[in-house]
Amino acid sequence: MERDPLTDIDPVESEEWIEAINSVIETEGVERAQYLLQRLSTKVTETGAQLPYAINTPYRNTIPISKEARMPGDLFMERSIRSLIRWNAMAMVMRANLKDGTLGGHISSFQSSATLYDVGFNYFFRGTTEEQLGDLIYIQGHSAPGIYARSFLEGNLSEEQLDKFRQEVDGDGLSSYPHPWLMPDYWQFPTVSMGLGPLQAIYQAHIMKYLDNRGLAGRGSRKVWCFAGDGEMDEPESQGAIALAGREKLDNLIFVVNCNLQRLDGPVRGNGKIIQELEGVFRGAGWNVIKVVWGRQWDPLFEKDKFGLLQQRMDEAVDGEYQNYKSRSGAYTREHFFGKYPELLKVVEDLTDEDIFRLNRGGHDPYKVYAAYDAATSHTGQPTVILAKTVKGYGLGPAGEAQNYTHSVKKLDLEGLKDFRDRFDIPISDADLEKVPYYRPPEDSTEMRYLKQCRSSLGGSLPRRKSDFEALQIPPLSVLESVLKGTGDRQISTTMAFVRILSSLIKDKQIGERIVPIVPDEARTFGMEGMFRQLGIYSSGGQLYEPTDTDQIMYYREDKKGQVLEEGINEGGAFAAWLAAATSYSNNEIPLIPFYVFYSMFGFQRIGDLCWAAGDLQARGFLLGGTSGRTTLNGEGLQHQDGHSHILASTVPNCVSYDPSYAYELAVIIRQGLQEMYVEKLPRYYYITIMNENYEQPPIPDGVEQGILRGMYCLQKNAVKSSKKVVQLLGSGTILRESIAAAELLQKDFGVIADIWSVTSFNELRREGLSVHRWNMLHPQEKPRLSYVEECLNGVSGPVIAATDYIKAYADQIREFVPGLYSVLGTDGFGRSDTRERLRKFFEVDRYYITVAALSALAQENVIDAAQVTKAIELYGIDPGKPDPVTL
Ligand SMILES: Cc1ncc(C[n+]2csc(CCOP(=O)(O)OP(=O)(O)O)c2C)c(N)n1
Ligand SMILES: [Mg+2]
């Protein structure tokens, strides 16, 4: 017997065990072997022993050769097509940078993942047909050139379009990364902000199951494919929701992690192994893990590896070393990888250094990738992650293959181009090489026919995005009559009004079932728990236990057909669920109306990047920022009291935002949102803040609807022509009620008359004003137009004083459009817990401060004497030496 180089104290005994298990496999099958191992491992763990293989397997392919599904197509044909895609992808980046060295772009990422995409496009990714809706594919953002290059070969993009890569200003260029906003008929998912793709993909698959269970599913069974980088997996967003996918058994979801071992600056895990780490993490989260580490060339070496020495060497080498084997040479690999053990050197003694260099990685071997995809698509009961090992900058040779700098390579020199051309057999002559021409074989060539055949049998070219959808039938405003008519003496909050509005809409025959209420463990905070029983909480497993509150009317009812999405304490995930529902009009061809209700402080601030992606995605739906306002959410404290989400919302160009005071305003805004998004199909989404302060909700006054929607309207017109001491008070959110109280003080204590305006949206007022002023600037000789703010305030007299529960910048936005003196009160500074009254005094937005601000403005305009202001300060007990709250 040969010497076993592994540290084995009793090789004979080891051999007996292996023979025994072999005989079980041969006579009784693998399942029996699995059972016995299970029993054995249970036995061993009784002693307290830790079994590492429960979570990690050796560093090799998960699918053994004997179980690999065989790729049916023409390997050589596919290689030559893939080579052309590689070339054109590289050429488009290079040409963009030859034209203007500042345009950027990436070559190396796609070169590492070309085979991963290609096998998918050739065999697995289904397009939309009469019978089925297409698969949904999240593409790694900076691999976009490779996807364009395929579209070019397939005849869907022209050379002129490729030449406009990253030149998007004219509107006809190809966007730098996948951006549905810029290429609405092509890209489906914005992915380039690392981590958002994986998170969105998980919730996309989740919402597809939800629709399935509710009987709203579209045609056919579909898969969500998510391509991600190994570096990208470090984002908390990438891994943050994988447990949900495992728990929910999302077998419609496949992750493909391109493990090229590198990120932008250097190795992902130089001192460890990213594939092994991810294997453990995903397996622990309940995923089916398929490692595709080694390509076919290694198979014969494994056969020669009697004692697992090759495996041991593979297991012990770290990623930093693996990177070296590909950035250096075959000779280097022989010496440093195989050379560690003389027995291993023997295994490769018949191979030349070139042969050793060509020992390929799994992610570059179409056979191995095919087998993995085949296994993933037929796996049931679990999501699958494919961990494919590749080489970053594959094929670039010394110009960048596996080099630390390769992420930023944007061009090759002439030698590099020649090498690349020769390596991939691109039919371009030396003379033409310098221009880096695109290459597309003639239409009737076998390659082109093969390529087109592949796609037509899978339902057509991808990516493709559907923008249009069937408009919904939205009920008239009168269905919200109960909210519009006011509450009389009863005091309720706008949050309670919202719940009433939502209940009415859910009862509507046309749109009721399309409404998707989403909460991140906050339903009770918002008084929405009535929906638990009424609509049911979605649970793919139904309810396997009797809830403790079954005897209550509003018990915690989980249901397979539940309509409410209760996503737990997980604002990012709940928002991603909202995104999937808000884009269902496109991705599932079923418009949904999601209402995501959350603590407003944990909205835009917490998950701003997803809110930005929502704009790119043309999401349609409602975000409700609950318990909003710096002083309205009394109690809680600094990290709860939101005084700036509106400013953040205003940065998303197609997010329409409102801070209404009254229930009827809320009703009008929601009705308009439904009309704009689902009837007029405007690509926008709504952010509305709602509050928890109870007060009497007045009935809707006549003729205010347009004003509510445009951003302000006159609530009380008190001044008459003969009035001298007049001010205009603007209030938003519940602070409007302080403005109303200030008007009374002004009149009673100082004989000043105030008109009162309810401002529902300083953001919308600013947008409109800016667009009007822009028009005026560009049309100097035409009659200037008036902004809506000017329209409202031009004819009125007196200074204008605005007060809000948001930072001053919120109300300050309209300064440019306010004629005359404008002063703004807001809640700048860190929040803190106290009563509303004390908080409003602290932040200087209460009725007394509004009164003082109004008098101060009148004094500045010499309408009253400054002594009147001093009198007010004394009368209301204001301390002029009080520190500025922004400093506290
Ligand atoms: C949130 C975020 N941070 C940083 C970047 C910049 N960035 C783009 S690609 C990249 C490296 C990606 O590495 P990896 O995920 O391993 O992908 P590879 O190119 O290696 O396939 C970085 C840091 C980004 N796009 N998004
Ligand atoms: Mg990488």
Side-chain angles (χ1 to χ4, degrees), residues 229-231 258 260-263 268 392:
D230 48 359
N258 175 20
N260 55 24
L261 315 186
Q262 291 177 244
R263 43 182 164 72
V268 177
K392 191 146 178 169

Side-chain angles (χ1 to χ4, degrees), residues 292-347:
V292 187
V293 187
W294 308 113
R296 262 180 348 282
Q297 316 287 345
W298 288 88
D299 290 346
L301 302 192
F302 275 116
E303 266 179 39
K304 287 192 197 168
D305 182 34
K306 270 202 210 130
F307 297 107
L309 189 57
L310 178 61
Q311 187 63 59
Q312 180 185 325
R313 182 71 189 107
M314 288 168 160
D315 289 343
E316 69 193 13
V318 293
D319 282 355
E321 294 175 293
Y322 281 114
Q323 192 187 335
N324 271 327
Y325 305 143
K326 288 302 177 190
S327 71
R328 298 188 184 197
S329 65
Y332 179 91
T333 309
R334 187 193 299 277
E335 183 186 341
H336 294 270
F337 179 76
F338 296 102
K340 180 157 182 199
Y341 301 111
E343 291 88 340
L344 268 190
L345 272 180
K346 274 200 221 126
V347 173

Side-chain angles (χ1 to χ4, degrees), residues 106 108-109 112 140 142-143 177 192-195 228-233 235 258 260 262-264 268 392 407 609:
H106 301 88
S108 296
S109 299
S112 71
Q140 241 184 307
H142 46 293
S143 284
Y177 300 113
V192 78
S193 177
M194 311 262 107
D230 48 359
E232 180 174 12
M233 293 313 293
E235 291 284 3
N258 175 20
N260 55 24
Q262 291 177 244
R263 43 182 164 72
L264 193 150
V268 177
K392 191 146 178 169
H407 190 85
D609 204 7

Side-chain angles (χ1 to χ4, degrees), residues 17 74 78 96 128 153 173 176 212 271 289 339 439 449 458 529 608 621 636 711 718 733 743 751 791:
W17 278 78
D74 180 338
E78 289 175 21
T128 293
L153 275 200
S176 49
D212 250 339
N271 299 310
V289 179
Y439 184 81
R449 277 190 272 133
L458 282 163
E529 64 269 40
E636 301 301 340
N718 296 322
E791 252 176 56

Side-chain angles (χ1 to χ4, degrees), residues 682-717:
L682 300 178
R684 55 180 58 170
Y685 69 91
Y686 272 59
Y687 174 57
I688 310 169
T689 41
I690 49 179
M691 298 162 296
N692 65 341
E693 184 173 353
N694 294 327
Y695 43 87
E696 287 165 19
Q697 300 290 344
I700 184 168
D702 282 338
V704 296
E705 281 177 46
Q706 277 315 306
I708 291 172
L709 298 172
R710 296 186 77 178
M712 70 188 281
Y713 64 95
C714 188
L715 191 66
Q716 281 181 27
K717 179 85 195 143

